[in-house]
């Protein structure tokens, strides 16, 4: 029986034949040997092949069905469940050197549960997007060099400005907005213009590794600033030549806390007094499920010390690579020069399409839909965690794309995270985001995964956590 000949059941093992079979079939799904919608051998055929009772195969298939790996059909037929697409591994390309390859890239990967910060791209209407794209392409000059638009197309900057004013209380003129290649490019530009090897930058600890990566490049000293339940702690540690402070006030990455109003005002006061630039990374504030988000830090800033950074990677899709930055007026000229040098101008067809998408209201309805579905996914996840009695506590819920789960007892989160990774579950350890801070837990992204994928991920999580507790007790 092709593909199943290497199933290896040991009758003398302390684990039952059913458990062994279930585990081995699961691995075949996780490793992409069995692909979504692929049909499994009939229970009778597999039982004959393995010389075991048919009931054992039926029980194994049913167990895998309850975990979301398989789907049952009429007359006891089973196929691999759609949720398993999260595991579908790309097959290696087989092009020879110099050979042209036809077809889509083969090494694209889908995020596996529970990879943080991934939007569900299947909720996005490409049909609507393409309608806007076709319309804007009536203007053929979008295909030309348009160096005048190095900061982004005017229409897009204006529409982004209107959206930010309405949703986040941002106060600015549209020509203080720069359209960037995602937030990551914005952070990179901040580093290039405001930091150098003689300066320091305050970074939330735990904090966003992308910002650290962008700024390590400059040779600046990264100074960890602790975070508590009100956000980044003040006073900031003393640091030579401190120029920049990075914060995620709406939804601290990765812990999820929201910066209190008192702390926001104090941070702005410190920034003014010490002439610091505050980078406000507002990466997922659109996703608030039970209440409106707090207004942005930028909207409270009378002295224009805040550089506001945002992205369409989470609200639309990351492959778009479009983000934005709202600059204090005193920085606009310098950023404009750097942007023009960096890429002359950004992708104009996508920018024009996005401007039209924003203007038409399609963006708002997409966000509303995502918000509703993401809220349900977060709730399902929390219900399952509590039903399974998993040893994790979630102090901040009801917002964002990720949930930080803290272990209720002392646990080596890096070891658990690595064990989960081997099982196909992508939940980074909270300690991996820490510099000097101490935390132990896992970061769960829930937005990109269907209910079935969430159920399946939770099963694997539960099994791994049980094994890790047994391991600790030395069984
Ligand atoms: C806190 C934070 N900031 C910024 C980004 C980067 O987003 P972009 O895709 O726009 O570069 C991410 C992505 O996960 C993030 O989590």
């Amino acid at each position: 029986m092709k593909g199943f000949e290497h199933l290896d059941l040991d009758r003398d093992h302390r684990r039952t034949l059913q458990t062994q079979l279930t585990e081995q079939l699961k691995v075949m799904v996780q490793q992409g040997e069995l692909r979504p919608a692929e049909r499994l051998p009939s229970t009778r055929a597999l039982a004959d092949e393995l010389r075991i009772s048919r009931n054992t195969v039926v029980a194994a298939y049913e167990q895998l069905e309850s975990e979301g790996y398989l789907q049952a059909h009429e007359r006891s037929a089973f196929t691999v469940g759609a949720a398993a697409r999260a595991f579908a591994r790309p097959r290696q390309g087989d092009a020879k050197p110099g050979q042209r390859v036809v077809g889509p890239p083969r090494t694209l990967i889908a995020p596996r549960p529970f990879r943080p910060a991934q939007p569900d791209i299947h909720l996005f209407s490409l049909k609507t997007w393409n309608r806007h794209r076709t319309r804007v392409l009536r203007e053929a000059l979008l295909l030309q060099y348009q160096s005048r638009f190095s900061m982004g197309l005017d229409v897009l900057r204006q529409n982004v400005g209107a959206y930010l004013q309405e949703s986040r209380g941002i106060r600015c003129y549209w020509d203080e907005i720069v359209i960037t290649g995602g937030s990551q490019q914005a952070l990179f530009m901040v580093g290039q213009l405001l930091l150098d090897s003689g300066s320091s930058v305050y970074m939330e600890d735990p904090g966003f590794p992308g910002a650290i990566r962008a700024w390590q490049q400059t040779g600046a000293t990264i100074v960890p600033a602790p975070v508590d339940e009100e956000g980044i702690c003040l006073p900031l540690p003393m640091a030579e030549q401190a120029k920049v402070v990075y914060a995620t006030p709406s939804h601290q990455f990765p812990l999820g806390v929201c910066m209190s109003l008192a702390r926001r005002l104090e941070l702005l006061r410190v920034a003014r007094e010490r002439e610091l630039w505050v980078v406000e990374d507002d990466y997922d504030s659109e996703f608030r499920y039970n209440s409106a988000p707090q207004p942005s830090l930028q909207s409270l800033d009378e002295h224009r010390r805040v550089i506001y950074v945002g992205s369409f990677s989470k609200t639309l899709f990351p492959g778009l690579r479009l983000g934005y930055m709202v600059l204090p007026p005193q920085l606009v000229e310098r950023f404009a020069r750097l942007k023009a040098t960096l890429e002359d101008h950004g992708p104009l067809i996508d920018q024009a399409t996005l401007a039209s998408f924003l203007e038409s209201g399609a963006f708002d309805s997409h966000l509303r839909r995502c918000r509703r579905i993401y809220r349900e996914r977060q709730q399902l996840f929390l219900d399952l965690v509590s039903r399974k009695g998993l040893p994790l506590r979630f102090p901040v819920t009801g917002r964002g794309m990720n949930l930080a789960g803290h272990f209720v007892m002392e646990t080596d989160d890096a070891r658990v995270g690595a064990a989960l990774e081997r099982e196909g579950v992508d939940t980074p350890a909270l300690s991996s985001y820490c510099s000097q801070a101490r935390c132990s837990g896992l970061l769960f992204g829930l937005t990109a995964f269907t209910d079935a994928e969430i159920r399946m991920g939770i099963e694997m999580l539960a099994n791994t956590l049980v094994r890790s507790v047994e391991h600790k007790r030395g069984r």
Side-chain angles (χ1 to χ4, degrees):
M1 189 174 298
K2 198 160 169 301
F4 292 84
E5 57 281 309
H6 60 266
L7 285 174
D8 182 18
L9 305 185
D10 178 356
R11 278 160 216 284
D12 299 326
H13 200 278
R14 66 184 168 80
R15 288 155 82 90
T16 64
L17 289 173
Q18 182 199 322
T19 309
Q20 293 180 52
L21 179 59
T22 310
E23 291 299 322
Q24 291 183 27
L25 289 172
K26 202 182 276 186
V27 169
M28 287 176 76
V29 175
Q30 288 166 3
Q31 296 191 340
E33 288 168 48
L34 284 171
R35 300 176 73 83
E38 193 166 329
R39 199 184 168 106
L40 272 89
S42 72
T43 49
R44 189 183 303 280
L46 189 57
D48 287 350
E49 168 84 17
L50 299 174
R51 291 168 210 260
I52 56 177
S53 100
R54 189 176 166 206
N55 283 345
T56 304
V57 181
V58 170
Y61 279 12
E62 285 177 353
Q63 173 65 29
L64 290 167
E65 188 212 353
S66 74
E67 294 182 24
Y69 283 87
L70 297 187
Q71 196 180 343
H73 301 273
E74 276 173 23
R75 283 189 268 130
S76 323
F78 284 84
T79 55
V80 177
R85 74 180 146 81
F87 299 112
R89 299 256 164 101
R91 299 211 161 112
Q92 286 300 315
D94 50 4
K96 298 182 185 65
Q99 181 187 342
R100 289 197 185 185
V101 179
V102 184
R106 297 187 190 196
T107 46
L108 298 181
I109 47 166
R112 292 176 301 163
F114 295 104
R115 185 167 180 74
Q118 309 292 311
D120 187 343
I121 53 165
H122 303 288
L123 299 180
F124 184 71
S125 168
L126 271 178
K127 200 165 144 208
T128 310
W129 179 261
N130 284 336
R131 221 180 34 240
H132 288 277
R133 190 170 187 273
T134 307
R135 222 194 34 238
V136 301
L137 270 173
R138 286 190 204 136
E139 178 49 89
L141 285 177
L142 283 175
L143 276 63
Q144 268 295 1
Y145 279 115
Q146 300 290 352
S147 312
R148 199 163 71 75
F149 295 111
S150 59
M151 295 279 271
L153 285 180
D154 294 2
V155 276
L156 180 57
R157 295 164 79 193
Q158 284 160 12
N159 287 344
V160 167
Y163 160 67
L164 291 178
Q165 185 181 32
E166 198 184 298
S167 63
R168 309 295 298 120
I170 295 291
R171 295 185 296 177
C172 69
Y173 293 103
W174 69 264
D175 57 4
E176 291 158 2
I177 297 176
V178 46
I179 304 299
T180 58
S183 319
Q184 195 59 39
Q185 189 188 60
L187 298 173
F188 176 78
M189 288 170 70
V190 166
Q192 296 303 304
L193 285 181
L194 304 179
L195 298 172
D196 57 34
S197 56
S199 63
S200 308
V201 47
Y202 293 112
M203 182 66 209
E204 290 175 334
D205 180 22
F208 176 52
I212 297 176
R213 257 199 322 274
W215 296 336
Q216 258 166 353
Q217 295 262 350
T218 65
T221 308
I222 315 268
V223 181
V227 172
D228 65 15
E229 55 289 341
E230 285 188 66
I232 194 167
C233 292
L234 299 173
L236 294 165
M238 280 321 284
E240 289 283 298
Q241 285 293 314
K243 292 274 168 45
V244 172
V245 48
Y246 170 91
T248 44
S250 304
H251 191 222
Q252 203 274 334
F253 185 95
L255 299 181
V257 297
C258 177
M259 194 186 284
S260 67
L261 180 62
R263 196 67 68 81
R264 285 171 194 245
L265 295 173
E266 182 61 6
L267 179 60
L268 291 173
R269 192 188 61 74
V270 170
R272 188 182 71 240
E273 260 178 34
R274 295 176 53 184
E275 297 192 354
L276 294 170
W277 298 108
V278 183
V279 174
E280 175 179 21
D281 184 351
D282 207 23
Y283 64 105
D284 75 351
S285 64
E286 287 84 358
F287 303 115
R288 273 279 182 150
Y289 308 126
N290 307 320
S291 56
Q294 282 236 17
S296 61
L297 190 65
Q298 197 268 8
S299 68
L300 299 170
D301 176 21
E302 300 292 339
H303 298 273
R304 307 300 310 259
R305 302 299 309 177
V306 175
I307 300 170
Y308 178 88
V309 173
S311 176
F312 289 103
S313 291
K314 318 295 175 189
T315 48
L316 296 178
F317 54 97
L320 186 60
R321 301 312 302 141
L322 286 178
Y324 43 85
M325 187 164 30
V326 180
L327 294 166
Q330 358 22 328
L331 291 181
V332 171
E333 237 351 274
R334 291 172 69 192
F335 274 80
R337 257 180 277 130
L338 176 62
K339 188 68 172 33
T341 319
L342 200 57
E343 55 176 10
D344 196 34
H345 59 74
L348 298 182
I349 300 169
D350 285 339
Q351 288 191 19
T353 307
L354 177 55
S356 167
F357 195 78
L358 281 167
E359 190 270 328
S360 71
F363 179 75
D364 298 314
S365 40
H366 173 67
L367 261 189
R368 275 196 299 277
R369 179 161 181 238
C370 290
R371 230 178 255 133
R372 179 173 53 73
I373 293 171
Y374 293 173
R375 178 180 52 224
E376 289 166 5
R377 289 178 180 172
Q378 205 175 86
Q379 198 48 55
L380 172 69
F381 174 84
L382 290 168
D383 289 348
L384 291 170
V385 167
S386 114
R387 225 177 291 161
K388 289 257 171 207
L390 299 185
L392 287 161
R393 147 185 97 72
F394 293 86
V396 185
T397 59
R399 62 180 92 135
M401 305 181 82
N402 314 321
L403 285 179
H406 299 254
F407 283 115
V408 294
M409 67 258 199
E410 206 183 297
T411 304
D412 179 350
D413 64 352
R415 197 172 56 74
V416 174
L420 281 163
E421 167 122 50
R422 286 194 294 277
E423 294 281 322
V425 181
D426 194 351
T427 47
L430 285 183
S431 60
S432 68
Y433 299 107
C434 294
S435 166
Q436 292 170 1
R438 291 275 152 268
C439 46
S440 168
L442 299 167
L443 188 64
F444 297 90
L446 305 167
T447 42
F449 308 105
T450 61
D451 290 3
E453 286 166 335
I454 291 174
R455 284 179 201 283
M456 190 166 77
I458 287 276
E459 285 299 330
M460 285 154 59
L461 180 67
N463 293 340
T464 307
L465 289 180
V466 167
R467 274 204 299 277
S468 108
V469 170
E470 282 175 359
H471 172 87
K472 214 170 140 192
R473 289 191 189 134
R475 279 213 217 141

